[in-house]
């Protein structure tokens, strides 16, 4: 392990560290600022910095001085620490720069000196100018550095790969190159920044006792000349040849450069001038990155896969029907091919494909002719074979209109399984897609949507969920479900869609997502998630459903100074917020659309009326108002809807007999109200109230009510006594006449002051009846009566006369006369 120590000199140039200045050590993966004396120790004395590997010693200058400072010791200490931190940061930057400059960024730095292991290349004996320096060998990686012709030559080995880096200028023609003891077959060989040899790479590898069996990678940088002919590839029997030229000026390939590569089936060319392919080639996989073709592609009859990135033709225009001769081509990948209107002729005559990728190529950027050609010519020809289609990074916009019917890019691909429209401005899917692409299992709609967020519909998930599939989303607006979709899924015992949804950005959790979120709350396995979706950094599944709202604009729906929101995307339910508005009564809110929730807390409301509570209301918040009493009718209205939640905490509720209906309802519906927070006006918790005790009497009231019957009875007795005394005669007569209480009533007491018991008046026509029947029966009966009998006067023209009335028993006589012309009775 290498360690470098940076001494910070004190203002007087001392390095004995007697003044307590810190030291900076670079050790392994740590940069440590250590105090030189106990006085300098502090929690900030150690620091760690990230590192790729340790910088070589020749990149570090270990002596730094701080000029003489005429200041206090505290200022000197601070300045010393600042200098040390700067040195440490500079060391780390130097380490990173050194890693890339020496091309050691893929492997660990050396930790062993001396000869390399026996199975590694060894320096040839003199006169070869080669010397083993140091290296590191483990199971995963191996590194060794040699000095060849006075220049550094690092060799790397990782698994099956062997890398030789000539960055320092070592030539492959040098006779001093190290070599294996015997011929060694290496599957993958990389020449990094080695000049192109004048003879074959196979010859140069043989000099190192290496035979490459599978892949040869050649990397050149801009200071080198990249010119290749068939001579450089004679004797090579590799399956993959990769030539990567890091330069603004493309390298050169001769017309016959492919002729020796009879075993090569894969070519990867970067920044080269590409001649037409010869007829004897066996290339099946061709990758062209930033190349310049010299006309036609050539013989591509065996070509199966073609990858193109930023092709530029020498003559400026792409030739038409460039891929017509590629009869076996099944995979075409194009990226950054800015052909615009030339893309149509370029792809004309294309044979049926299995995979087509045209990414970041400005499809549809101008007048859309290219997009129309793609939808009318290219895709139909591969309709029965195309399994993967990618149009990512193009300026497509929505490929169908808002209603989903007007499709400007028909995708009638019955066997398509993978579709990517990422970063293409698509904000909606088409209604025809489930019908046109029934086998789709992977849909990528991530990336830029040109300022518009993507909307996913129920039909999309139902379509994708019919089979094991994956839906990739990014800047999503909402997942549009409605109440009927929710009911359909719940009735079907929570239908499970087999689609896995991946959302890299957050979702807008408003009213449009309400039914989907509600459905997930009841059926969490309805869809599968690659990662839990979030609503503005909060998991969507933890977002309260009551908070998923959309604001309403317009006084016709929300009046009274309240704020209103839609509950769902169909705008069929309203949530009103009238809290803290200084209201003295509930505002008159419209009944259509129906009011779902009413928030009216922190006002001055004193009374609730039945017409203020619609049947559609499922939540009403009246906390912290001045409500003390609610009538029986209003109480019944308040709890008339099953499950309606009512919030009344913070109100001075009157817990007395006159408010018993409300108290009883609150106790009965405790699961619907904020039961634990309800208090009476005397600060007692409502939960401690017993309804039966609300109308109980006080001791004084109990005494009054207990004595009331006695007092009442006494008064009634007194009144009866007074009545009997005052009306005693009438009472006696009444009782005697009915034969009641006769033992207590004597006749003498009743008739003591009366001469006769009865008076009988008759006419002369009844005289016989009176004297023969009536009088005898009354006078001699039991009891007997004393009668006064009167006979009406006879009426004549001569005047009147009187008749003597007499007592039958001759004890008394009564003489009465009635004179005509007068109305007076006369006793004689």
């Amino acid at each position: 392990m290498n360690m470098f120590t940076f001494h910070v000199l004190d203002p007087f140039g001392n390095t004995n560290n007697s003044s307590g200045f810190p030291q900076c050590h670079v050790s392994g993966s740590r940069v440590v600022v250590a105090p030189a004396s106990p006085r300098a120790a502090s929690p900030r004395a150690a620091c760690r910095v990230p590192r790729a590997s340790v910088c070589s010693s020749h990149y570090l200058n270990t002596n730094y001085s701080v000029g003489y400072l005429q200041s206090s010791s505290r200022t000197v200490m601070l300045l010393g620490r600042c200098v040390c931190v700067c040195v440490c940061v500079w060391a780390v930057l130097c380490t990173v720069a050194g890693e890339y400059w020496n091309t050691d960024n893929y492997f660990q730095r050396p930790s062993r000196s001396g000869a390399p292991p026996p199975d590694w290349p060894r320096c040839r004996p003199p006169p070869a100018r080669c010397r083993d320096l140091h290296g590191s060998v483990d199971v995963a990686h191996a590194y060794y550095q040699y000095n060849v012709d006075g220049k550094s030559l690092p060799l790397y080995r990782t698994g099956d790969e062997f890398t030789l880096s000539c960055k320092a200028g070592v030539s492959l023609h040098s006779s001093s190159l190290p070599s294996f003891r015997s011929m060694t077959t290496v599957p993958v060989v990389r020449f990094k920044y080695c000049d192109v040899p004048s003879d074959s790479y196979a010859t140069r590898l043989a000099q190192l006792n290496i035979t490459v069996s599978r892949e040869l990678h050649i990397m050149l940088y801009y200071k080198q000349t990249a010119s290749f002919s068939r001579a450089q590839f004679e004797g090579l029997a590799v399956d993959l040849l990769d030539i990567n030229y890091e330069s603004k000026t493309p390298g050169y390939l001769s017309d016959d450069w492919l002729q020796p590569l009879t075993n090569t089936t894969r070519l990867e060319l970067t920044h080269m001038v590409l001649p037409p392919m010869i007829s004897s080639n066996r290339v099946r996989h061709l990758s062209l990155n930033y190349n310049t073709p010299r006309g036609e592609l050539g013989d591509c009859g065996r070509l199966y896969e073609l990858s193109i990135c930023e092709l530029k033709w020498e003559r400026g225009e792409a030739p038409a029907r460039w891929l017509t001769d590629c009869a076996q081509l099944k995979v075409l990948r194009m990226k950054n091919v800015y052909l615009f209107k030339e893309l149509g002729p370029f792809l004309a005559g294309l044979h049926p494909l299995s995979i087509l990728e045209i990414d970041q190529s400005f499809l549809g950027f101008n007048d859309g002719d290219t997009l129309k050609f793609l939808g009318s010519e290219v895709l139909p020809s591969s309709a029965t074979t195309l399994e993967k289609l990618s149009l990512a990074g193009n300026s497509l916009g929505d490929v169908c209109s808002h209603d989903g019917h007007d499709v400007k890019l028909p995708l009638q691909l019955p066997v398509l399984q993978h579709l990517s429209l990422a970063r293409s401005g698509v904000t909606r899917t088409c209604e025809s897609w489930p019908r046109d692409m029934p086998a789709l299992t992977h849909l990528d709609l991530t990336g830029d949507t040109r300022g518009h967020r993507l909307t996913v519909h129920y039909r999309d998930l139902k379509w994708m969920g019919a089979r094991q599939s994956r839906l990739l989303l990014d800047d999503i607006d909402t997942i549009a479900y409605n109440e009927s979709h929710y009911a359909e899924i719940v009735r079907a015992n929570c239908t499970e869609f087999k689609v896995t949804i991946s959302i890299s950005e957050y979702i807008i959790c408003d009213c449009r997502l309400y039914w989907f979120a509600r459905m997930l709350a009841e059926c969490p396995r309805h869809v599968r998630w690659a990662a839990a979706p979030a609503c503005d950094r909060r998991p969507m599944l933890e977002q309260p459903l009551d908070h998923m709202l959309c604001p309403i604009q317009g006084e016709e729906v929300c009046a009274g100074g309240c704020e209103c929101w839609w509950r769902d995307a169909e705008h069929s339910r309203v949530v009103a917020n009238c809290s803290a508005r200084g209201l003295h009564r509930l505002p008159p809110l419209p009944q259509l659309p129906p009011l779902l929730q009413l928030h009216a807390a922190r006002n001055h409301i004193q009374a609730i009326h039945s017409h203020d509570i619609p049947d559609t209301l499922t939540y009403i918040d009246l906390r912290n108002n001045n409500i003390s009493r609610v009538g029986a009718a209003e109480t019944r209205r308040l709890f008339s809807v099953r499950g309606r939640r009512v919030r009344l905490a913070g109100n001075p509720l009157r817990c007395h007999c006159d408010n018993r209906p409300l108290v009883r309802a609150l106790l009965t519906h405790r699961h619907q109200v904020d039961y634990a927070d309800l208090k009476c006006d005397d600060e007692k918790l409502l939960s401690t109230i017993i309804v039966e005790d609300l109308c109980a009497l006080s001791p004084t009231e109990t005494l009054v009510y207990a004595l009331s019957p006695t007092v009442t009875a006494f008064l009634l007795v007194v009144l009866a006594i007074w009545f009997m005394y005052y009306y005693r005669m009438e009472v006696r007569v009444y009782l005697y006449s009915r034969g009641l209480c006769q033992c207590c009533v004597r006749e003498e007491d009743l008739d003591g002051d009366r001469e006769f018991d009865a008076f009988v008046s008759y006419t002369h026509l009844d005289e016989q009846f009176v004297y023969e029947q009536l009088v005898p029966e009354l006078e001699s009966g039991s009891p007997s009566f004393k009668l006064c009998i009167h006979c009406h006067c006879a009426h004549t023209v001569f005047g009147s006369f009187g008749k003597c009335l007499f007592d039958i028993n001759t004890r008394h006589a009564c003489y009465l006369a009635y004179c005509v012309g007068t109305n007076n009775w006369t006793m004689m």
Side-chain angles (χ1 to χ4, degrees):
M1 181 180 296
N2 295 339
M3 176 177 289
F4 308 101
T5 303
F6 306 97
H7 298 278
V8 181
L9 307 182
D10 64 15
F12 303 99
N14 300 322
T15 60
N16 57 5
N17 215 24
S18 59
S19 60
F21 282 82
Q23 296 177 335
C24 181
H25 308 281
V26 179
S27 176
S29 61
R30 305 178 61 182
V31 179
V32 180
V33 181
S37 65
R39 292 183 58 188
S42 69
R44 301 181 180 178
C47 60
R48 294 173 182 260
V49 294
R51 137 201 189 281
S53 62
V54 180
C55 182
S56 302
S57 60
H58 64 275
Y59 288 112
L60 301 176
N61 185 354
T62 59
N63 292 313
Y64 293 86
S65 61
V66 180
Y68 180 81
L69 299 176
Q70 298 293 338
S71 61
S72 63
S73 59
R74 181 177 179 181
T75 303
V76 174
M77 289 290 293
L78 291 175
L79 184 59
R81 292 179 181 178
C82 293
V83 171
C84 182
V85 170
C86 293
V87 171
C88 295
V89 172
W90 181 86
V92 172
L93 295 177
C94 176
T95 300
V96 175
E99 290 293 326
Y100 283 93
W101 179 260
N102 285 289
T103 68
D104 298 340
N105 50 313
Y106 301 113
F107 306 96
Q108 296 182 353
R109 293 295 298 169
S111 59
R112 171 178 174 175
S113 300
D119 60 342
W120 263 72
R122 305 293 295 270
C123 286
R124 305 174 189 273
R129 300 175 58 192
C130 178
R131 181 164 55 91
D132 302 326
L133 295 179
H134 42 65
S136 174
V137 179
D138 55 30
V139 177
H141 306 285
Y143 162 86
Y144 224 86
Q145 186 168 345
Y146 305 84
N147 186 294
V148 177
D149 296 331
K151 301 175 183 178
S152 175
L153 177 67
L155 299 182
Y156 310 96
R157 187 165 188 172
T158 303
D160 293 338
E161 296 186 7
F162 180 84
T163 302
L164 187 147
S165 178
C166 305
K167 183 69 174 180
V170 176
S171 173
L172 293 179
H173 291 281
S174 174
S175 59
S176 300
L177 292 174
S179 63
F180 287 97
R181 292 186 175 182
S182 60
M183 188 63 66
T184 302
T185 300
V186 179
V188 181
V189 173
R190 297 179 183 274
F191 286 111
K192 198 168 185 180
Y193 306 134
C194 298
D195 290 335
V196 179
S198 58
D199 53 0
S200 173
Y201 279 99
T203 303
R204 297 300 98 204
L205 288 171
Q207 184 180 356
L208 303 175
N209 282 338
I210 294 176
T211 300
V212 59
S213 62
R214 196 171 69 216
E215 299 178 10
L216 176 61
H217 298 266
I218 302 172
M219 181 182 293
L220 303 171
Y221 72 107
Y222 68 97
K223 290 185 178 181
Q224 296 174 308
T225 301
S227 179
F228 298 90
S229 64
R230 60 176 297 174
Q232 280 76 38
F233 305 108
E234 292 286 354
L236 282 178
V238 294
D239 179 66
L240 169 65
L241 175 62
D242 174 21
I243 302 177
N244 186 355
Y245 186 31
E246 300 175 356
S247 175
K248 294 182 179 181
T249 303
Y252 176 80
L253 294 172
S254 64
D255 293 340
D256 59 349
W257 74 282
L258 268 178
Q259 191 170 355
L261 299 172
T262 56
N263 294 328
T264 302
T265 62
R266 294 182 294 166
L267 278 178
E268 296 182 5
L269 304 176
T270 302
H271 213 216
M272 303 295 294
V273 175
L274 181 66
M277 300 173 64
I278 60 176
S279 59
S280 61
N281 79 86
R282 299 183 58 192
V283 177
R284 289 185 51 81
H285 302 271
L286 177 60
S287 177
L288 305 176
N289 301 315
Y290 309 100
N291 291 277
T292 305
R294 294 205 304 261
E296 300 294 335
L297 181 59
D299 189 353
C300 58
R302 298 181 180 87
L303 194 62
Y304 176 84
E305 179 181 356
L306 174 61
S307 299
I308 302 174
C309 180
E310 287 198 22
L311 289 186
K312 296 181 180 180
W313 278 263
E314 285 186 332
R315 298 179 181 179
E317 293 184 0
R321 308 177 69 87
W322 199 59
L323 302 175
T324 302
D325 296 334
C326 304
Q328 297 186 21
L329 185 65
K330 298 299 180 183
V331 180
L332 176 59
R333 294 185 172 94
M334 304 174 64
K335 184 177 181 181
N336 296 338
V337 180
Y338 308 127
L339 297 179
F340 301 103
K341 293 184 178 181
E342 300 177 14
L343 184 60
F346 177 77
L347 295 178
L350 193 64
H351 294 272
L353 300 173
S354 297
I355 298 176
L356 175 60
E357 298 179 4
I358 307 178
D359 298 337
Q360 301 180 19
S361 298
F362 289 104
L363 290 179
F365 182 73
N366 290 332
D367 57 0
D369 290 343
T370 303
L371 196 62
K372 293 179 182 178
F373 177 81
L374 184 67
S376 60
E377 299 292 338
V378 177
L379 296 181
S381 65
S382 302
T384 60
T385 59
L386 194 62
E387 298 178 357
K388 181 179 180 180
L389 174 63
S390 176
L391 302 176
N394 292 287
S395 302
L396 300 180
D398 286 320
V399 296
C400 55
S401 60
H402 186 71
D403 57 5
H405 297 292
D406 183 15
V407 180
K408 64 180 181 180
L409 179 61
L411 297 175
Q412 299 178 0
L413 306 170
V415 299
L416 188 70
Q417 300 178 10
H418 189 293
L419 175 63
S420 176
L421 298 175
R423 306 180 308 280
S424 59
V426 174
T427 63
R428 69 178 70 94
T429 59
C430 301
E431 290 187 2
S432 61
W433 285 3
R435 180 181 65 256
D436 296 341
M437 296 179 288
L440 195 69
T441 60
H442 186 102
L443 179 59
D444 187 355
L445 298 175
T446 59
D448 181 27
T449 56
R450 306 295 188 265
H452 300 282
R453 301 173 70 90
L454 178 68
T455 298
V456 179
H457 297 276
Y458 168 74
R459 67 170 186 268
D460 303 327
L461 298 186
K462 187 176 182 179
W463 160 47
M464 297 289 292
R467 67 199 69 83
Q468 296 289 344
S469 58
R470 190 174 183 86
L471 178 60
L472 305 182
L473 305 172
D474 192 358
D475 203 11
I476 183 172
D477 188 14
T478 189
I479 300 178
Y481 274 44
N482 57 33
E483 188 173 4
S484 62
H485 301 148
Y486 162 79
E488 176 184 343
I489 294 169
V490 173
R491 280 198 305 265
N493 295 324
C494 293
T495 305
E496 294 185 18
F497 291 162
K498 299 178 182 179
V499 59
T500 299
I501 304 176
S502 175
I503 302 178
S504 57
E505 297 291 338
Y506 68 88
I507 307 177
I508 299 178
C509 290
D510 56 12
C511 67
R512 295 167 296 176
L513 193 68
Y514 171 77
W515 286 113
F516 179 74
R518 180 173 175 180
M519 182 273 306
L520 284 184
E522 298 187 28
C523 305
R525 301 183 62 183
H526 173 60
V527 295
R528 306 168 187 176
W529 302 99
C535 297
D536 194 13
R537 300 180 181 179
R538 182 175 183 177
M540 186 186 72
L541 299 180
E542 299 179 8
Q543 187 78 5
L545 295 177
D546 292 342
H547 295 176
M548 294 185 178
L549 306 168
C550 295
I552 296 177
Q553 306 296 333
E555 291 291 332
E556 65 279 1
V557 176
C558 191
C562 302
E563 296 178 355
C564 294
W565 292 271
W566 299 118
R567 160 59 70 212
D568 53 21
E570 285 74 26
H571 295 173
S572 60
R573 290 169 175 82
V574 174
V575 175
N577 179 20
C578 303
S579 299
R581 297 295 196 277
L583 303 176
H584 292 273
R585 56 162 297 170
L586 290 175
L589 295 172
Q591 300 301 314
L592 291 175
L595 186 63
L596 187 68
Q597 293 186 11
L598 176 59
H599 300 260
R602 302 187 305 280
N603 285 295
H604 308 295
I605 300 173
Q606 298 180 357
I608 303 175
H609 303 285
S610 298
H611 57 78
D612 293 332
I613 308 173
D615 293 334
T616 58
L617 200 63
T618 61
Y619 180 92
I620 180 169
D621 185 0
L622 296 171
R623 290 174 294 180
N624 300 309
N625 279 282
N626 297 327
I627 301 172
S628 59
R629 186 180 181 278
V630 179
E634 287 75 13
T635 300
R636 288 193 300 270
R637 181 72 172 175
L638 198 60
F639 294 98
S640 61
V641 176
R642 184 178 180 181
R644 175 185 287 164
R645 292 174 293 168
V646 180
R647 300 293 180 261
L648 289 172
N651 286 282
L653 301 177
R654 180 175 173 80
C655 299
H656 292 276
C657 186
D658 60 345
N659 203 27
R660 184 166 55 177
L662 176 63
V663 176
R664 185 186 297 275
L666 293 177
L667 295 175
T668 303
H669 300 277
R670 63 184 63 186
H671 61 284
Q672 296 177 233
V673 301
D674 43 352
Y675 181 70
D677 300 326
L678 292 176
K679 292 183 180 181
C680 301
D681 52 359
D682 56 359
E683 295 299 322
K684 289 183 180 179
L685 289 174
L686 186 72
S687 57
T688 63
I689 299 298
I690 301 176
V691 179
E692 289 73 14
D693 295 342
L694 290 179
C695 297
L697 301 177
S698 64
T700 303
E701 293 174 333
T702 303
L703 180 61
V704 171
Y705 281 101
L707 294 177
S708 294
T710 303
V711 174
T712 303
F714 175 77
L715 293 176
L716 291 176
V717 170
V718 172
L719 182 62
I721 294 173
W722 176 83
F723 182 83
M724 292 293 291
Y725 177 79
Y726 189 81
Y727 294 99
R728 59 186 178 276
M729 184 58 67
E730 287 81 357
V731 172
R732 286 180 178 182
V733 172
Y734 176 79
L735 294 176
Y736 183 80
S737 64
R738 285 167 174 74
L740 302 175
C741 298
Q742 292 185 0
C743 61
C744 300
V745 180
R746 296 182 303 172
E747 183 178 356
E748 292 78 4
D749 296 335
L750 297 176
D751 298 334
D753 59 345
R754 288 179 174 82
E755 184 178 356
F756 300 98
D757 294 325
F759 172 74
V760 179
S761 177
Y762 67 94
T763 66
H764 66 282
L765 296 177
D766 297 323
E767 182 177 1
Q768 183 180 359
F769 168 75
V770 172
Y771 287 106
E772 293 178 0
Q773 297 184 20
L774 181 62
V775 172
E777 186 176 347
L778 292 177
E779 289 284 352
S780 61
S782 179
S784 61
F785 296 95
K786 189 177 182 179
L787 303 177
C788 179
I789 302 173
H790 168 252
C791 178
H792 287 282
C793 297
H795 296 263
T796 66
V797 295
F798 302 104
S800 63
F801 64 93
K803 186 173 179 64
C804 178
L805 299 178
F806 60 93
D807 186 354
I808 298 298
N809 297 323
T810 66
R811 291 177 297 177
H812 300 284
C814 177
Y815 299 94
L816 297 174
Y818 184 82
C819 298
V820 179
T822 67
N823 291 323
N824 298 321
W825 287 93
T826 303
M827 190 172 182
M828 297 181 290

